[in-house]
Amino acid sequence: NERRGGGGGGGGERLRPAYDGSEATLQERISLVFPPTTNARGEVWHEFVAVIPREGKYCGQPCAVCNVVGCPMHGRIFHQKNLATHARPRGGGVRSSVFSRQHDAAYNAFVAAFSAGEASAPEVQRQIAETLPPPPPGAEEGEARARRPASSFGSSRRRSGNCPACRGKHRAHTCGKRLRHSGPASGSRARHKRQRHSGPEA
């Protein structure tokens, strides 16, 4: 059920689990690059939780959810091939110098608290969440969108909460809203247009 992850004949070579399309074998593969952490009671916590979306942009593809509370992308779905550009690879076989420093700092804070005691992962996550500053305006909606089922990731509809124009910025609307002229101004424009095209009266 396993195969070697590279060429050569080194005896110390790590085995790479065969991916059979299940989340269990996907988690095994992810754990080689991002090893799980264990607390004093033996509870295991994963930095990324394997998931295979049934709908949307990544339907049927190997993905994972960021499981690090305090990371700005906590709860977001990533394709497996993009994990090493979000988090620092901690296992063997993969190296990357491009990763989120915010994720890395949040990961280190969680692991330091979780691995040192017997508190469960949800308890440590709750403790850390209580120390975090309040999210900026609009961030809660963005987080809710990130946690929705994968089918919503392919939607092209914009929401007014993320629209710069709806927030008072001098920008074009990105929420689908169109400006409509109403009242006397629009009426005078229409009369002026009719007069311009009707020509002189007989």
Side-chain angles (χ1 to χ4, degrees):
N1 228 19
E2 294 183 336
R3 62 187 178 85
R4 296 199 176 272
E13 206 173 78
R14 297 189 68 178
L15 297 177
R16 187 183 184 191
Y19 173 54
D20 61 5
S22 69
E23 291 182 353
T25 55
L26 175 59
Q27 187 70 65
E28 290 179 13
R29 280 198 166 192
I30 293 172
S31 295
L32 285 181
V33 183
F34 304 96
T37 301
T38 306
N39 68 0
R41 291 193 303 176
E43 179 187 350
V44 176
W45 174 83
H46 295 277
E47 184 176 0
F48 291 100
V49 178
V51 62
I52 302 173
R54 297 182 180 180
E55 300 178 277
K57 179 180 178 181
Y58 294 137
C59 178
Q61 299 185 48
C63 300
V65 176
C66 175
N67 196 30
V68 180
V69 67
C71 172
M73 298 295 183
H74 176 228
R76 291 285 182 97
I77 295 178
F78 292 86
H79 195 283
Q80 182 192 7
K81 65 184 179 183
N82 297 329
L83 296 181
T85 59
H86 176 60
R88 183 203 302 267
R90 309 176 198 285
V94 178
R95 293 289 179 270
S96 176
S97 58
V98 180
F99 54 86
S100 168
R101 265 56 181 179
Q102 288 177 295
H103 176 98
D104 201 51
Y107 167 87
N108 290 331
F110 177 87
V111 169
F114 177 70
S115 61
E118 296 186 353
S120 67
E123 289 172 337
V124 175
Q125 289 175 332
R126 186 165 55 251
Q127 292 168 6
I128 293 177
E130 291 174 352
T131 67
L132 298 176
E140 292 182 1
E141 182 177 350
E143 184 175 351
R145 290 187 65 196
R147 293 175 183 273
R148 286 177 195 158
S151 58
S152 65
F153 281 83
S155 173
S156 61
R157 294 185 62 186
R158 306 278 183 154
R159 294 189 174 268
S160 59
N162 295 324
C163 174
C166 289
R167 297 201 305 267
K169 303 280 187 180
H170 190 63
R171 306 271 183 84
H173 281 278
T174 60
C175 61
K177 186 182 295 184
R178 299 182 65 181
L179 293 176
R180 295 178 180 175
H181 298 286
S182 59
S186 61
S188 62
R189 266 196 215 89
R191 284 196 299 275
H192 177 72
K193 188 174 182 181
R194 285 198 299 272
Q195 292 172 1
R196 189 156 52 92
H197 290 286
S198 61
E201 293 182 358

mmCIF file with all atom_site columns, all heavy atoms in Angstrom, residues 163-174:
data_model
loop_
_atom_site.group_PDB
_atom_site.id
_atom_site.type_symbol
_atom_site.label_atom_id
_atom_site.label_alt_id
_atom_site.label_comp_id
_atom_site.label_asym_id
_atom_site.label_entity_id
_atom_site.label_seq_id
_atom_site.pdbx_PDB_ins_code
_atom_site.Cartn_x
_atom_site.Cartn_y
_atom_site.Cartn_z
_atom_site.occupancy
_atom_site.B_iso_or_equiv
_atom_site.pdbx_formal_charge
_atom_site.auth_seq_id
_atom_site.auth_comp_id
_atom_site.auth_asym_id
_atom_site.auth_atom_id
_atom_site.pdbx_PDB_model_num
ATOM 1  N N   . CYS A 1 163 ? -17.580 45.305 -1.471  1.00 0.00 ? 163 CYS A N   1
ATOM 2  C CA  . CYS A 1 163 ? -17.567 46.251 -2.597  1.00 0.00 ? 163 CYS A CA  1
ATOM 3  C C   . CYS A 1 163 ? -16.995 47.581 -2.124  1.00 0.00 ? 163 CYS A C   1
ATOM 4  O O   . CYS A 1 163 ? -17.551 48.206 -1.208  1.00 0.00 ? 163 CYS A O   1
ATOM 5  C CB  . CYS A 1 163 ? -18.980 46.434 -3.146  1.00 0.00 ? 163 CYS A CB  1
ATOM 6  S SG  . CYS A 1 163 ? -19.088 47.701 -4.429  1.00 0.00 ? 163 CYS A SG  1
ATOM 7  N N   . PRO A 1 164 ? -15.895 48.066 -2.721  1.00 0.00 ? 164 PRO A N   1
ATOM 8  C CA  . PRO A 1 164 ? -15.304 49.338 -2.283  1.00 0.00 ? 164 PRO A CA  1
ATOM 9  C C   . PRO A 1 164 ? -16.281 50.503 -2.410  1.00 0.00 ? 164 PRO A C   1
ATOM 10 O O   . PRO A 1 164 ? -16.335 51.363 -1.540  1.00 0.00 ? 164 PRO A O   1
ATOM 11 C CB  . PRO A 1 164 ? -14.095 49.501 -3.215  1.00 0.00 ? 164 PRO A CB  1
ATOM 12 C CG  . PRO A 1 164 ? -13.796 48.116 -3.707  1.00 0.00 ? 164 PRO A CG  1
ATOM 13 C CD  . PRO A 1 164 ? -15.122 47.421 -3.776  1.00 0.00 ? 164 PRO A CD  1
ATOM 14 N N   . ALA A 1 165 ? -17.067 50.533 -3.509  1.00 0.00 ? 165 ALA A N   1
ATOM 15 C CA  . ALA A 1 165 ? -17.990 51.647 -3.718  1.00 0.00 ? 165 ALA A CA  1
ATOM 16 C C   . ALA A 1 165 ? -19.073 51.682 -2.651  1.00 0.00 ? 165 ALA A C   1
ATOM 17 O O   . ALA A 1 165 ? -19.463 52.747 -2.167  1.00 0.00 ? 165 ALA A O   1
ATOM 18 C CB  . ALA A 1 165 ? -18.617 51.538 -5.109  1.00 0.00 ? 165 ALA A CB  1
ATOM 19 N N   . CYS A 1 166 ? -19.565 50.501 -2.250  1.00 0.00 ? 166 CYS A N   1
ATOM 20 C CA  . CYS A 1 166 ? -20.601 50.441 -1.211  1.00 0.00 ? 166 CYS A CA  1
ATOM 21 C C   . CYS A 1 166 ? -20.049 50.864 0.146   1.00 0.00 ? 166 CYS A C   1
ATOM 22 O O   . CYS A 1 166 ? -20.813 51.242 1.035   1.00 0.00 ? 166 CYS A O   1
ATOM 23 C CB  . CYS A 1 166 ? -21.187 49.030 -1.129  1.00 0.00 ? 166 CYS A CB  1
ATOM 24 S SG  . CYS A 1 166 ? -22.229 48.583 -2.534  1.00 0.00 ? 166 CYS A SG  1
ATOM 25 N N   . ARG A 1 167 ? -18.742 50.777 0.323   1.00 0.00 ? 167 ARG A N   1
ATOM 26 C CA  . ARG A 1 167 ? -18.121 51.198 1.585   1.00 0.00 ? 167 ARG A CA  1
ATOM 27 C C   . ARG A 1 167 ? -17.702 52.668 1.552   1.00 0.00 ? 167 ARG A C   1
ATOM 28 O O   . ARG A 1 167 ? -17.030 53.141 2.451   1.00 0.00 ? 167 ARG A O   1
ATOM 29 C CB  . ARG A 1 167 ? -16.913 50.318 1.898   1.00 0.00 ? 167 ARG A CB  1
ATOM 30 C CG  . ARG A 1 167 ? -17.229 48.864 2.124   1.00 0.00 ? 167 ARG A CG  1
ATOM 31 C CD  . ARG A 1 167 ? -16.125 48.167 2.905   1.00 0.00 ? 167 ARG A CD  1
ATOM 32 N NE  . ARG A 1 167 ? -14.822 48.327 2.281   1.00 0.00 ? 167 ARG A NE  1
ATOM 33 C CZ  . ARG A 1 167 ? -14.293 47.467 1.419   1.00 0.00 ? 167 ARG A CZ  1
ATOM 34 N NH1 . ARG A 1 167 ? -14.974 46.382 1.076   1.00 0.00 ? 167 ARG A NH1 1
ATOM 35 N NH2 . ARG A 1 167 ? -13.099 47.674 0.911   1.00 0.00 ? 167 ARG A NH2 1
ATOM 36 N N   . GLY A 1 168 ? -18.099 53.393 0.485   1.00 0.00 ? 168 GLY A N   1
ATOM 37 C CA  . GLY A 1 168 ? -17.822 54.816 0.404   1.00 0.00 ? 168 GLY A CA  1
ATOM 38 C C   . GLY A 1 168 ? -16.583 55.181 -0.377  1.00 0.00 ? 168 GLY A C   1
ATOM 39 O O   . GLY A 1 168 ? -16.241 56.349 -0.490  1.00 0.00 ? 168 GLY A O   1
ATOM 40 N N   . LYS A 1 169 ? -15.882 54.184 -0.917  1.00 0.00 ? 169 LYS A N   1
ATOM 41 C CA  . LYS A 1 169 ? -14.688 54.466 -1.713  1.00 0.00 ? 169 LYS A CA  1
ATOM 42 C C   . LYS A 1 169 ? -15.090 55.016 -3.081  1.00 0.00 ? 169 LYS A C   1
ATOM 43 O O   . LYS A 1 169 ? -16.145 54.694 -3.609  1.00 0.00 ? 169 LYS A O   1
ATOM 44 C CB  . LYS A 1 169 ? -13.862 53.197 -1.910  1.00 0.00 ? 169 LYS A CB  1
ATOM 45 C CG  . LYS A 1 169 ? -13.432 52.529 -0.612  1.00 0.00 ? 169 LYS A CG  1
ATOM 46 C CD  . LYS A 1 169 ? -12.246 53.205 -0.006  1.00 0.00 ? 169 LYS A CD  1
ATOM 47 C CE  . LYS A 1 169 ? -11.728 52.413 1.198   1.00 0.00 ? 169 LYS A CE  1
ATOM 48 N NZ  . LYS A 1 169 ? -10.571 53.031 1.818   1.00 0.00 ? 169 LYS A NZ  1
ATOM 49 N N   . HIS A 1 170 ? -14.218 55.851 -3.659  1.00 0.00 ? 170 HIS A N   1
ATOM 50 C CA  . HIS A 1 170 ? -14.480 56.391 -4.990  1.00 0.00 ? 170 HIS A CA  1
ATOM 51 C C   . HIS A 1 170 ? -14.005 55.378 -6.030  1.00 0.00 ? 170 HIS A C   1
ATOM 52 O O   . HIS A 1 170 ? -12.996 55.562 -6.694  1.00 0.00 ? 170 HIS A O   1
ATOM 53 C CB  . HIS A 1 170 ? -13.754 57.724 -5.159  1.00 0.00 ? 170 HIS A CB  1
ATOM 54 C CG  . HIS A 1 170 ? -14.163 58.467 -6.404  1.00 0.00 ? 170 HIS A CG  1
ATOM 55 N ND1 . HIS A 1 170 ? -15.446 58.925 -6.618  1.00 0.00 ? 170 HIS A ND1 1
ATOM 56 C CD2 . HIS A 1 170 ? -13.450 58.819 -7.498  1.00 0.00 ? 170 HIS A CD2 1
ATOM 57 C CE1 . HIS A 1 170 ? -15.502 59.520 -7.800  1.00 0.00 ? 170 HIS A CE1 1
ATOM 58 N NE2 . HIS A 1 170 ? -14.303 59.475 -8.340  1.00 0.00 ? 170 HIS A NE2 1
ATOM 59 N N   . ARG A 1 171 ? -14.715 54.269 -6.089  1.00 0.00 ? 171 ARG A N   1
ATOM 60 C CA  . ARG A 1 171 ? -14.371 53.165 -6.991  1.00 0.00 ? 171 ARG A CA  1
ATOM 61 C C   . ARG A 1 171 ? -15.630 52.691 -7.697  1.00 0.00 ? 171 ARG A C   1
ATOM 62 O O   . ARG A 1 171 ? -16.748 53.043 -7.319  1.00 0.00 ? 171 ARG A O   1
ATOM 63 C CB  . ARG A 1 171 ? -13.785 51.990 -6.206  1.00 0.00 ? 171 ARG A CB  1
ATOM 64 C CG  . ARG A 1 171 ? -12.617 52.338 -5.321  1.00 0.00 ? 171 ARG A CG  1
ATOM 65 C CD  . ARG A 1 171 ? -11.319 52.227 -6.062  1.00 0.00 ? 171 ARG A CD  1
ATOM 66 N NE  . ARG A 1 171 ? -10.170 52.491 -5.178  1.00 0.00 ? 171 ARG A NE  1
ATOM 67 C CZ  . ARG A 1 171 ? -9.620  51.580 -4.400  1.00 0.00 ? 171 ARG A CZ  1
ATOM 68 N NH1 . ARG A 1 171 ? -10.120 50.362 -4.375  1.00 0.00 ? 171 ARG A NH1 1
ATOM 69 N NH2 . ARG A 1 171 ? -8.576  51.876 -3.653  1.00 0.00 ? 171 ARG A NH2 1
ATOM 70 N N   . ALA A 1 172 ? -15.429 51.856 -8.715  1.00 0.00 ? 172 ALA A N   1
ATOM 71 C CA  . ALA A 1 172 ? -16.564 51.248 -9.401  1.00 0.00 ? 172 ALA A CA  1
ATOM 72 C C   . ALA A 1 172 ? -17.158 50.150 -8.532  1.00 0.00 ? 172 ALA A C   1
ATOM 73 O O   . ALA A 1 172 ? -16.463 49.516 -7.744  1.00 0.00 ? 172 ALA A O   1
ATOM 74 C CB  . ALA A 1 172 ? -16.115 50.667 -10.744 1.00 0.00 ? 172 ALA A CB  1
ATOM 75 N N   . HIS A 1 173 ? -18.462 49.933 -8.687  1.00 0.00 ? 173 HIS A N   1
ATOM 76 C CA  . HIS A 1 173 ? -19.119 48.873 -7.939  1.00 0.00 ? 173 HIS A CA  1
ATOM 77 C C   . HIS A 1 173 ? -18.651 47.508 -8.437  1.00 0.00 ? 173 HIS A C   1
ATOM 78 O O   . HIS A 1 173 ? -18.616 47.260 -9.646  1.00 0.00 ? 173 HIS A O   1
ATOM 79 C CB  . HIS A 1 173 ? -20.646 48.964 -8.092  1.00 0.00 ? 173 HIS A CB  1
ATOM 80 C CG  . HIS A 1 173 ? -21.267 50.008 -7.227  1.00 0.00 ? 173 HIS A CG  1
ATOM 81 N ND1 . HIS A 1 173 ? -21.561 49.792 -5.908  1.00 0.00 ? 173 HIS A ND1 1
ATOM 82 C CD2 . HIS A 1 173 ? -21.621 51.298 -7.493  1.00 0.00 ? 173 HIS A CD2 1
ATOM 83 C CE1 . HIS A 1 173 ? -22.105 50.897 -5.398  1.00 0.00 ? 173 HIS A CE1 1
ATOM 84 N NE2 . HIS A 1 173 ? -22.147 51.816 -6.329  1.00 0.00 ? 173 HIS A NE2 1
ATOM 85 N N   . THR A 1 174 ? -18.301 46.627 -7.513  1.00 0.00 ? 174 THR A N   1
ATOM 86 C CA  . THR A 1 174 ? -17.942 45.239 -7.861  1.00 0.00 ? 174 THR A CA  1
ATOM 87 C C   . THR A 1 174 ? -18.999 44.268 -7.378  1.00 0.00 ? 174 THR A C   1
ATOM 88 O O   . THR A 1 174 ? -18.824 43.059 -7.476  1.00 0.00 ? 174 THR A O   1
ATOM 89 C CB  . THR A 1 174 ? -16.588 44.864 -7.230  1.00 0.00 ? 174 THR A CB  1
ATOM 90 O OG1 . THR A 1 174 ? -16.684 44.995 -5.811  1.00 0.00 ? 174 THR A OG1 1
ATOM 91 C CG2 . THR A 1 174 ? -15.477 45.754 -7.764  1.00 0.00 ? 174 THR A CG2 1
#
